[in-house]
């Protein structure tokens, strides 16, 4: 009985590409009293694995929180696996505005103490005693009421690229920090103000609404389904968007556009930009906003120090980062003295620029391609990439895609290449191939051949 993921991200990406099916990115949550979270977790994994569902899910005694990628043809079958449980009958599934077949590449279901860490140890706090849910139209209306206070219950790096106009945007790194800050800031308005809150998909402000009711606030409201559902409703109902900019999301896309307003800046040069990235230095991985020009000149690094480190031999890089704390904690914080144009806390509602129209993110499934190999090395001065051919044949003149989380999807036509050090027009599995690549590639990048 398989209860854990057994495929690597690369293997899963290959299977997704070979299947050529559209996948939907979605999220959902439900607060409930779950007696045996471990058994619940195992049952879900078995059911979802059969449907080729991928994603990241947390379950606890207080409920479930999930971000998923599901084949479109299995969407209803996936819903049935949820509605088999009474507390998830008619559950709202927040389907993303934009889809990416590679938004998740593993199925992870973990048991946690809480589905949203809140730092609370109050046994009298009832997480199910929530505020009033508001749909998009009702939410817009209450925002027009001068008696309304609106609060963003997301972290600083989320609100920086997009937020509701006039919202309080706490300069916090975690949800648990925001609760006492907002409680103190609004303590004099418990009786007479509308306390209206929002977050990405609804799960954080649902708990926050229960907390503030517990603290004595009389008029507590929350955006039903969060920004994700709001974006869907304003589009369907042709409503004005009072949210400006991008909605940060926790898959490899790192954001989906709600309006074409850019409200943030490249953290390195100050140019209007709202594209998040992670520093390519494996000893850093700092989350920050970087424009295309800085991405090219800084080679996807957050600082000159990190840039210099990436040019060192791998053994020296490993030695430098030994014993240092990296990964999720740096990703969560997204702060550094090197980020000269980073903004937190009180944010402006004034757009800095308009976003250019982007290509359809679904284009991946329109291009027929096969996996050929993976990147082994990149030589920056001659702009040459080294690849190992793992399967299928590669020929001079082939149109290829080099794909990776940082590189994106870059198309190149191979004019000429070296095969195992000698000029050749054909490469087979097992061969090492070098050819010119006019952009930096990474070890995680995959090499695909486009089929005509």
């Amino acid at each position: 009985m398989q209860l854990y993921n057994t495929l690597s991200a690369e293997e899963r990406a290959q299977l997704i590409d070979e299947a050529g099916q559209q996948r939907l990115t979605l999220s959902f949550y439900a607060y409930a009293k779950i007696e045996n979270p471990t058994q619940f977790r195992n049952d879900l994994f078995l059911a979802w694995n059969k449907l080729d569902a991928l994603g990241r899910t947390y379950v606890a005694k207080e409920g479930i929180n999930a971000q998923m990628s599901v084949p479109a043809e299995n969407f209803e079958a996936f819903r049935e696996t949820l509605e088999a449980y009474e507390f998830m009958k008619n559950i709202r599934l927040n389907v993303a505005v934009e889809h990416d077949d590679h938004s998740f590449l593993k199925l992870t279901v973990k048991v946690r103490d809480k589905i949203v860490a809140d730092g609370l140890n109050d046994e009298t706090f009832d997480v199910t005693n929530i505020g009033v849910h508001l749909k998009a139209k009702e939410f817009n209306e209450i925002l027009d009421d001068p008696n309304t206070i609106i609060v963003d219950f997301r972290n600083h790096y989320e609100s920086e690229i997009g937020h509701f106009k006039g919202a309080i945007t706490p300069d916090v790194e975690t949800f648990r920090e925001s609760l006492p800050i907002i409680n103190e800031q609004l303590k004099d308005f418990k009786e007479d103000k509308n306390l209206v809150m929002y977050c990405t998909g609804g799960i954080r402000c649902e708990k926050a609404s229960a907390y503030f009711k517990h603290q004595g606030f009389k008029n507590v409201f929350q955006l039903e389904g969060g920004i994700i559902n709001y974006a869907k409703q304003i589009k369907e109902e042709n409503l004005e968007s009072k949210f400006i900019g991008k909605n940060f999301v926790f898959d490899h896309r790192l954001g989906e556009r709600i309006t074409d307003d850019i409200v943030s800046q490249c953290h390195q040069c100050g140019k209007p930009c709202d594209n998040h990235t992670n520093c390519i230095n494996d000893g850093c991985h700092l989350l920050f906003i970087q424009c295309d020009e800085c991405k090219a000149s800084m080679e996807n690094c957050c600082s000159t120090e990190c840039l210099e480190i990436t040019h060192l031999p791998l053994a020296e890089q490993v030695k430098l980062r030994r014993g240092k704390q990296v990964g999720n904690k740096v990703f969560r914080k997204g702060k550094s003295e090197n980020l000269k144009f980073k903004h937190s806390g009180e944010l402006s509602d004034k757009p800095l620029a308009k976003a250019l129209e982007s290509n359809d993110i679904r284009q991946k499934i329109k291009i027929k391609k096969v996996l050929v190999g993976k990147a082994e090395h990149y030589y920056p001065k001659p702009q040459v990439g080294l690849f190992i051919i793992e399967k299928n044949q590669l020929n001079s003149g082939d149109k290829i895609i080099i794909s990776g989380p940082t590189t994106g999807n870059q198309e190149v036509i191979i004019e000429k290449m070296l095969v195992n050090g000698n000029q050749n027009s054909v490469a087979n599995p097992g061969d090492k191939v070098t050819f010119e690549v006019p952009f930096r590639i990474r070890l995680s990048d995959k090499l695909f051949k486009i089929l005509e």
Side-chain angles (χ1 to χ4, degrees):
M1 184 168 60
Q2 181 185 338
L3 290 173
Y4 297 92
N5 181 74
T6 58
L7 296 177
S8 69
E10 278 194 3
E11 290 171 324
R12 179 66 69 179
Q14 179 183 341
L15 290 177
I16 289 172
D17 287 319
E18 289 175 350
Q21 297 173 317
Q22 183 184 349
R23 300 181 68 90
L24 303 177
T25 301
L26 55 92
S27 62
F28 64 91
Y29 70 89
Y31 285 100
K33 293 180 180 179
I34 300 174
E35 296 297 327
N36 190 338
T38 300
Q39 184 61 52
F40 178 56
R41 176 258 171 222
N42 292 344
D43 292 343
L44 288 178
F45 189 95
L46 291 172
W48 292 351
N49 200 38
K50 292 177 183 177
L51 299 175
D52 192 25
L54 306 172
R56 179 176 55 243
T57 298
Y58 299 129
V59 298
K61 288 188 175 182
E62 69 173 9
I64 180 172
N65 178 23
Q67 294 86 41
M68 305 291 294
S69 168
V70 180
E73 64 180 24
N74 292 342
F75 180 74
E76 291 304 325
F78 179 78
R79 182 188 288 277
E80 289 175 6
T81 67
L82 305 180
E83 295 193 345
Y85 299 91
E86 190 61 35
F87 74 90
M88 287 195 284
K89 292 284 187 185
N90 300 315
I91 190 168
R92 181 188 61 254
L93 301 180
N94 287 332
V95 180
V97 178
E98 299 174 339
H99 299 292
D100 185 336
D101 296 340
H102 292 178
S103 58
F104 291 101
L105 295 174
K106 290 185 179 180
L107 175 58
T108 304
V109 187
K110 295 183 178 181
V111 176
R112 291 285 178 88
D113 291 333
K114 295 183 178 182
I115 56 174
V116 175
D118 52 28
L120 303 176
N121 293 300
D122 183 352
E123 293 185 0
T124 66
F125 172 48
D126 181 5
V127 72
T128 64
N129 183 24
I130 60 176
V132 177
H133 279 190
L134 298 175
K135 296 187 183 299
K137 185 178 180 181
E138 299 166 321
F139 195 79
N140 279 359
E141 290 171 353
I142 203 169
L143 293 191
D144 289 334
D145 186 339
N147 204 43
T148 291
I149 298 174
I150 179 171
V151 182
D152 189 326
F153 276 96
R154 299 173 302 154
N155 301 329
H156 62 83
Y157 56 83
E158 300 173 78
S159 56
E160 184 177 8
I161 61 169
H163 49 270
F164 277 95
K165 298 173 183 177
I168 296 173
T169 53
D171 186 10
V172 296
E173 298 172 0
T174 63
F175 171 72
R176 70 176 69 190
E177 292 176 70
S178 63
L179 296 178
I181 290 174
I182 296 302
N183 192 37
E184 175 63 24
Q185 190 171 345
L186 303 181
K187 63 183 180 181
D188 296 329
F189 303 106
K190 293 184 178 182
E191 298 285 340
D192 58 345
K193 294 288 186 181
N194 298 321
L195 177 56
V196 180
M197 54 195 69
Y198 70 92
C199 58
T200 307
I203 187 169
R204 285 177 280 183
C205 53
E206 181 128 331
K207 178 172 277 191
S209 74
Y211 171 79
F212 285 103
K213 287 187 70 176
H214 184 66
Q215 292 297 314
F217 284 80
K218 302 300 182 184
N219 306 307
V220 181
F221 303 85
Q222 67 182 97
L223 178 58
E224 183 180 22
I227 302 163
I228 296 174
N229 199 43
Y230 178 85
K232 181 182 177 183
Q233 289 181 3
I234 61 171
K235 186 175 181 180
E236 291 175 345
E237 300 174 31
N238 196 28
L239 301 173
E240 174 195 0
S241 176
K242 292 185 179 293
F243 183 96
I244 54 173
K246 255 186 179 180
N247 180 29
F248 187 96
V249 293
F250 292 88
D251 55 61
H252 105 97
R253 297 173 298 156
L254 297 181
E256 57 181 20
R257 185 160 299 288
I258 308 302
T259 71
D260 62 1
D261 301 296
I262 297 177
V263 296
S264 53
Q265 297 171 276
C266 171
H267 288 160
Q268 293 174 319
C269 72
K271 176 183 177 181
C273 178
D274 53 13
N275 294 325
H276 272 106
T277 189
N278 284 105
C279 180
I280 199 65
N281 175 17
D282 285 335
C284 178
H285 285 311
L286 181 74
L287 178 74
F288 68 109
I289 298 174
Q290 187 178 48
C291 69
D292 290 341
E293 289 81 0
C294 288
K295 184 184 288 287
S297 63
M298 294 296 293
E299 298 179 20
N300 221 127
C301 292
C302 69
S303 63
T304 53
E305 292 83 359
C306 282
L307 179 60
E308 291 170 359
I309 289 172
T310 62
H311 289 175
L312 294 174
L314 183 59
E316 289 189 39
Q317 293 186 44
V318 172
K319 186 177 179 180
L320 282 172
R321 65 176 179 261
R322 191 170 292 147
K324 291 186 178 180
Q325 191 178 59
V326 297
N328 285 338
K329 296 197 174 182
V330 174
F331 174 89
R332 185 181 68 230
K333 293 177 181 177
K335 287 187 178 180
S336 167
E337 292 180 359
N338 293 316
L339 306 180
K340 298 178 181 178
F341 295 92
K342 165 72 183 172
H343 298 291
S344 294
E346 292 185 18
L347 301 174
S348 172
D349 293 339
K350 184 178 179 181
L352 302 176
K354 294 291 184 180
L356 299 175
E357 188 174 348
S358 60
N359 293 329
D360 183 2
I361 201 165
R362 296 181 179 85
Q363 64 183 333
K364 289 182 183 178
I365 63 171
K366 299 175 184 177
I367 300 174
K368 291 184 178 180
K369 61 190 180 194
V370 293
L371 183 67
V372 177
K374 63 180 181 181
E376 288 280 294
H377 193 67
Y378 183 68
Y379 303 93
K381 287 187 178 180
Q383 291 190 309
V384 168
L386 170 63
F387 299 83
I388 180 74
I389 305 300
E390 297 180 326
K391 59 189 299 184
N392 298 305
Q393 191 177 81
L394 188 67
N395 302 279
S396 293
D398 281 345
K399 183 182 288 187
I400 62 169
I401 293 177
I402 299 174
S403 176
T406 300
T407 306
N409 293 285
Q410 304 286 350
E411 290 189 18
V412 174
I413 296 177
I414 301 176
E415 301 293 345
K416 59 181 180 179
M417 61 185 181
L418 295 181
V419 180
N420 300 322
N422 299 308
Q423 188 163 336
N424 205 326
S425 60
V426 180
N428 294 298
D431 290 339
K432 288 193 173 182
V433 177
T434 54
F435 52 85
E436 288 187 9
V437 181
F439 48 85
R440 183 178 176 85
I441 61 173
R442 283 90 186 169
L443 292 180
S444 60
D445 288 353
K446 296 179 287 293
L447 173 63
F448 296 91
K449 179 166 66 174
I450 297 176
L451 303 177
E452 297 298 335

